[in-house]
Amino acid sequence: MKLVTVIIKPFKLEDVREALSTIGIQGLTVTEVKGFGRQKGHAELYRGAEYSVNFLPKVKIDIAMTDEQVESAIAAITEAAYTGKIGDGKIFVTELQRVVRIRTGETDEGAL
């Protein structure tokens, strides 16, 4: 089992959700986050004064899935989140040791 964590631009969230739904991924968790990478932030104007915004709004998506789903999920996310501009995001894949569904007590892949 794997935990796939995706950081993308907020306006791409619905596209990514639809792409994952199309390949059979049903559950995910979304968190609004702020950060920067190569994009490094930008300057904005407020009441005539310029100030820098160092942390840009992003969306973090966490998805638990079977090993077999990972490659198709990465392909779907990459296609749906792509704009071709800096700041499109990143995908992180980590090993999941154990999953437990609280309501039923099901474990591991049965709990996904």
Side-chain angles (χ1 to χ4, degrees):
M1 295 176 303
K2 301 284 192 264
L3 178 65
V4 176
T5 301
V6 183
I7 309 291
I8 57 170
K9 294 178 177 182
F11 70 89
K12 284 297 197 171
L13 175 59
E14 190 57 29
D15 294 341
V16 170
R17 189 200 61 76
E18 285 177 12
L20 290 169
S21 180
T22 300
I23 63 165
I25 304 279
Q26 297 174 358
L28 52 84
T29 301
V30 176
T31 310
E32 292 180 5
V33 296
K34 292 183 180 198
F36 72 92
R38 291 185 182 160
Q39 212 171 0
K40 296 213 178 27
H42 61 279
E44 287 191 6
L45 216 54
Y46 179 71
R47 293 188 178 182
E50 188 174 299
Y51 66 100
S52 70
V53 177
N54 294 323
F55 295 99
L56 300 171
K58 300 287 182 180
V59 172
K60 176 181 171 186
I61 306 168
D62 289 311
I63 317 144
M65 63 184 69
T66 64
D67 293 341
E68 295 77 28
Q69 294 173 304
V70 172
E71 291 308 317
S72 59
I74 289 173
I77 293 163
T78 302
E79 184 178 333
Y82 179 81
T83 67
K85 296 185 177 135
I86 195 164
D88 272 355
K90 293 225 171 38
I91 300 171
F92 304 95
V93 180
T94 54
E95 194 71 35
L96 261 180
Q97 297 297 317
R98 188 161 185 208
V99 178
V100 178
R101 184 185 309 267
I102 295 171
R103 179 178 53 86
T104 62
E106 292 171 283
T107 60
D108 300 329
E109 287 190 12
L112 295 178

